[in-house]
Amino acid sequence: MRIGLFGGTFDPIHLGHLLLAEVCREELELDEVRFLPAASNPLKENGPIADGPQRCEMVQFAISGNPAFAVDRREVKRGGPSFAVDTLAEVAAENPDAELFFLMGADALADLPAWREPGRVLDLATIVAVNRGDVPAVVPPGIESNRVRFVAMPACDLSATDLRRRAAEGLSLRYRTPAAVIAYLHDKYLYRI
Ligand code: ATP
């Protein structure tokens, strides 16, 4: 089994996330990609706006119909700051025969030295990094580069920050995230001020 793990805040999930996962799945011939919504990102100043179960639910809506994609709620259930190393260690123990790939965009790769135990993260999984929009993924100083693979994705300028701002301003989210996510946001009145 080749398992892709894709961590993020997903506040909310958008088409950039989905395209990243699909491009990596295809390029690396992954059997599945598990989306891992974080309870909170230790490196982000502000916590998420939507709560953990809501962000998991939006991911579930967004990936529905794709048998290769799944949502893994363990970080939200665990609570507190979500450290990739803890999650990777758990998934590795549960899947001793699997090869793990940890997917991320260029901005996340740049932050890797600030993660908890980056060396152990690299022991547990191959990092798979994509460009974020026009910004290429670059291995940061101090990181073992032979454990990082690069995948090119069509430049996508979307961010969750931009979607939240658009939702707050009552602007269209159509084609930025799946229709089922938009319906959920409307239903729950999320990101409105
Ligand atoms: P925010 O705007 O709230 O900071 P975000 O859009 O960056 O959110 P996250 O959930 O923080 O979304 O990102 C999860 C992962 O997805 C990160 O590895 C990030 O680099 C990657 N990612 C998000 N958007 C894109 C995109 N448009 N292109 C490539 N990678 C992306």
Side-chain angles (χ1 to χ4, degrees):
M1 272 282 270
R2 293 164 67 82
I3 302 178
L5 298 166
F6 182 28
T9 312
F10 304 117
D11 188 26
I13 188 165
H14 54 70
L15 292 186
H17 296 130
L18 293 163
L19 183 57
L20 181 157
E22 179 62 3
V23 166
C24 293
R25 183 200 61 75
E26 184 173 54
E27 184 75 17
L28 293 155
E29 300 183 332
L30 303 176
D31 297 295
E32 63 172 298
V33 176
R34 298 187 190 172
F35 289 66
L36 282 157
S40 73
N41 179 337
L43 297 179
K44 282 192 184 178
E45 229 169 76
N46 300 316
I49 291 180
D51 67 27
Q54 288 175 327
R55 289 179 289 110
C56 289
E57 205 154 357
M58 288 191 278
V59 171
Q60 184 66 65
F61 280 128
I63 65 177
S64 88
N66 185 338
F69 286 1
V71 56
D72 183 326
R73 294 173 161 80
R74 77 180 68 219
E75 292 188 343
V76 163
K77 286 185 185 147
R78 191 191 303 139
S82 302
F83 295 103
V85 68
D86 299 337
T87 304
L88 284 169
E90 278 179 25
V91 175
E94 290 161 13
N95 301 274
D97 299 326
E99 194 174 346
L100 303 184
F101 297 84
F102 200 68
L103 318 182
M104 63 186 68
D107 52 316
L109 180 62
D111 283 342
L112 191 60
W115 290 22
R116 179 176 280 187
E117 297 185 68
R120 190 149 164 254
V121 169
L122 290 162
D123 285 341
L124 290 162
T126 300
I127 301 282
V128 181
V130 307
N131 51 296
R132 175 123 194 199
D134 294 332
V135 180
V138 177
V139 179
I143 295 296
E144 195 69 62
S145 60
N146 61 1
R147 291 289 282 160
V148 181
R149 297 265 312 255
F150 295 97
V151 171
M153 91 172 227
C156 169
D157 212 9
L158 295 175
S159 70
T161 302
D162 187 49
L163 266 76
R164 292 194 300 274
R165 181 187 57 78
R166 293 185 68 85
E169 291 175 13
L171 298 173
S172 170
L173 299 183
R174 205 170 187 188
Y175 309 126
R176 286 174 160 84
T177 190
V181 175
I182 297 175
Y184 185 86
L185 293 178
H186 281 158
D187 194 41
K188 303 288 178 200
Y189 214 71
L190 270 168
Y191 310 123
R192 304 303 290 260
I193 36 178

